[in-house]
Amino acid sequence: MSGILGLVRIEARRSIGLWAFIPLILIAGWLARDLIPVRVWLWPETSHAIRMTLIILGPLAAGVAAWMAGRDRRRKIGDLLATMPCPAPARNLATWSGTALWIAGAYVTAGAVLLGLTAWNATFGSPLPFLPIIAVGILAIITHTALGYLAGHYLPSRFVAPLIAALLYVGQAAPAFSSSVGITYLSPVMGSVAADVFYGVRQDLSLPMAAWLLGLAGTALALVVLRGRRTWPVWSTLTVAVIVASVGAGTLLTTQPTESADRPVIPYQPVCQDGTITVCVHPAYQRMLPETADIINRMAQPLAGLPGVPTRAEQRTSADSEFEKPDWPEGTIGFWLGGAARVESGYQMLSHSIAGDLVADPRSPSMVSYYARMAQIVAAGPGNSGTKAIPPLVGMNPAQEIIADWLLIRIWGDVCEEVYQGGFQCWGWGGASKPDTKAEWERFTALDPAVRRAWFEEHYAALRAGELTLADLP
């Protein structure tokens, strides 16, 4: 045993994995950080980002292993090695082990740094539920190196390393284009992790995924050994590896998709900040509370104190449907914070939703009908001819759109921005940008603040119920 370990140490020192170690850590860190929200650290997002580094690290690991597998034959020292007392299978496994240790070490190091940063910054949860996700990532790295070594062992050409890297890069992404969810789960990067701060981790995928990857790696290594030693232990190992891979793959192929909403929400106590409207968020998003509360309260400030104005805004779960707003408690508006955590324009989209809820009651007949029709369209699916029978969407009326855009522009300025070829793209509700409401928009925005406030006091309830028309605007 000590001789084998010594050989592994020698091969680790001779491996190009040593030179690739630091670059791979930097690549993994860059890829992972690009997938982590910019404003908040979340355990599910970090574990998913670490796993997704396999997109690049996996194929690179295979390429490095393929290069090492053909090293001795490219140098034409096969006859010299044949005189050594150490059998060829042991030498091959030692070379593969020394290479796989460096690549797996780079993955683990990058993951440990990201987990440490998350532990320092996260305000909710722990890494323990997500460790199986990361462990499967380590097995995926090992499997990539085994497949790469197998290719380089049988085809010791200089072109095999980049070729196998390219093939595995495409192979990882190919399941995403399948109509079968089970096939998607066969990919370590395309298979859904199904984890977030509200619902936790889907625990039934890690074990079959580990079996699939472990069996695949065992099959590749057994085929490497089989070339030089066709004995019954090797054949037995190959058989067992194929069976393990088949069981794992079969389980994944028959796994049914599970929506987050099908799992119970992990209990939590929301963190709130008082103001014109009390704003509450999940404790994992606590760092975003001051900025979120400031934007929502600045939007609601012109309506403060009016009868019927919502008094509470609460972050909704990631699986809450946009079409279930009528089920929210009276006086409460909900918002989704995931977009604002990820992109700079996310707060604009958050404001868009808040403005709509401030001027249009989700329980009003027109909005209830709007949500019902939207749910029909989504249920029908894209391209379904049945959507033609669904009446056109109405939602907010033009008067509500003007007020909603006015609330948005008070915070963000113009809701339209110039895009390529002299065109404009608007992210508002349309009241400020439609030609047929231009006159009413200019008249409303030019009002004296006292006059506008007096109009709100008299007409806000009717406005939110959808009972006002453009002619009713002051």
Side-chain angles (χ1 to χ4, degrees):
M1 179 61 69
S2 60
I4 295 296
L5 292 178
L7 188 58
V8 171
R9 284 196 299 269
I10 293 173
E11 289 295 344
R13 291 198 299 268
R14 298 174 61 203
S15 174
I16 61 172
L18 170 62
W19 302 100
F21 182 72
I22 299 299
L24 288 176
I25 292 176
L26 297 178
I27 291 172
W30 174 73
L31 287 172
R33 188 62 189 94
D34 196 49
L35 296 169
I36 292 175
V38 297
R39 289 188 173 92
V40 66
W41 289 80
L42 308 172
W43 288 111
E45 304 292 343
T46 297
S47 60
H48 175 68
I50 294 172
R51 176 83 162 265
M52 290 299 289
T53 61
L54 294 171
I55 292 177
I56 298 296
L57 252 61
L60 288 178
V64 170
W67 184 264
M68 291 300 299
R71 176 194 59 188
D72 295 335
R73 293 171 68 183
R74 287 194 306 271
R75 294 175 179 176
K76 302 184 185 304
I77 59 174
D79 293 338
L80 177 62
L81 293 174
T83 63
M84 294 181 61
C86 183
R91 293 198 309 271
N92 282 315
L93 291 179
T95 302
W96 166 79
S97 299
T99 303
L101 284 173
W102 283 115
I103 311 299
Y107 176 84
V108 171
T109 301
V113 171
L114 290 169
L115 290 175
L117 290 172
T118 306
W120 181 266
N121 292 283
T123 55
F124 181 82
S126 74
L128 295 180
F130 307 100
L131 293 182
I133 297 174
I134 300 171
V136 168
I138 298 175
L139 285 178
I141 289 288
I142 293 173
T143 301
H144 278 88
T145 58
L147 293 173
Y149 199 91
L150 174 65
H153 182 66
Y154 280 89
L155 299 169
S157 168
R158 290 179 175 85
F159 301 103
V160 170
L163 180 61
I164 190 64
L167 287 175
L168 288 180
Y169 179 80
V170 174
Q172 289 184 134
F177 299 96
S178 171
S179 59
S180 171
V181 176
I183 293 178
T184 303
Y185 290 149
L186 292 177
S187 170
V189 295
M190 301 311 300
S192 175
V193 174
D196 61 30
V197 295
F198 289 100
Y199 298 97
V201 188
R202 180 175 177 179
Q203 300 286 0
D204 62 335
L205 292 175
S206 294
L207 188 58
M209 177 66 79
W212 158 242
L213 293 172
L214 191 61
L216 203 57
T219 300
L221 294 176
L223 289 174
V224 170
V225 174
L226 196 63
R227 185 177 186 184
R229 177 165 296 185
R230 300 182 180 181
T231 60
W232 71 265
V234 180
W235 284 107
S236 300
T237 301
L238 177 61
T239 302
V240 171
V242 170
I243 292 173
V244 171
S246 300
V247 170
T251 304
L252 292 172
L253 289 171
T254 56
T255 298
Q256 297 299 316
T258 301
E259 299 295 336
S260 294
D262 295 333
R263 304 195 303 273
V265 175
I266 297 174
Y268 68 93
Q269 184 65 36
V271 182
C272 302
Q273 180 172 316
D274 293 331
T276 303
I277 292 180
T278 299
V279 179
C280 300
V281 301
H282 189 284
Y285 291 82
Q286 184 173 349
R287 292 177 180 271
M288 297 178 63
L289 177 59
E291 188 174 3
T292 303
D294 176 67
I295 290 174
I296 294 176
N297 280 290
R298 283 164 57 200
M299 292 192 66
Q301 189 274 329
L303 309 175
L306 296 176
V309 172
T311 58
R312 182 182 177 91
E314 186 171 339
Q315 180 185 3
R316 312 307 294 183
T317 68
S318 54
D320 272 347
S321 171
E322 186 73 11
F323 320 127
E324 296 173 356
K325 288 185 177 182
D327 295 332
W328 295 351
E330 185 74 30
T332 297
I333 56 178
F335 58 89
W336 182 63
L337 207 51
R342 286 191 170 278
V343 296
E344 294 299 328
S345 61
Y347 271 123
Q348 294 177 347
M349 295 299 101
L350 166 67
S351 303
H352 181 277
S353 173
I354 295 296
D357 288 339
L358 286 174
V359 302
D361 190 343
R363 299 162 193 80
S364 63
S366 62
M367 296 307 293
V368 170
S369 176
Y370 168 78
Y371 296 133
R373 288 196 294 273
M374 282 295 295
Q376 282 181 281
I377 292 175
V378 172
N384 192 307
S385 59
T387 59
K388 297 179 180 178
I390 299 174
L393 296 176
V394 178
M396 294 200 304
N397 61 37
Q400 291 171 320
E401 290 176 350
I402 286 178
I403 308 302
D405 271 359
W406 176 71
L407 293 173
L408 287 173
I409 289 174
R410 287 184 66 258
I411 303 299
W412 299 105
D414 197 357
V415 294
C416 295
E417 57 185 10
E418 189 171 357
V419 293
Y420 61 91
Q421 297 180 349
F424 284 86
Q425 175 177 307
C426 300
W427 54 271
W429 285 98
S433 56
K434 293 179 180 177
D436 55 352
T437 58
K438 182 178 180 181
E440 289 80 1
W441 165 260
E442 293 177 346
R443 188 174 72 244
F444 182 82
T445 55
L447 287 174
D448 181 87
V451 176
R452 189 186 298 118
R453 174 69 184 189
W455 182 85
F456 274 131
E457 290 177 351
E458 182 178 354
H459 297 95
Y460 177 73
L463 170 72
R464 200 158 185 258
E467 298 172 356
L468 299 187
T469 66
L470 289 176
D472 297 312
L473 293 178

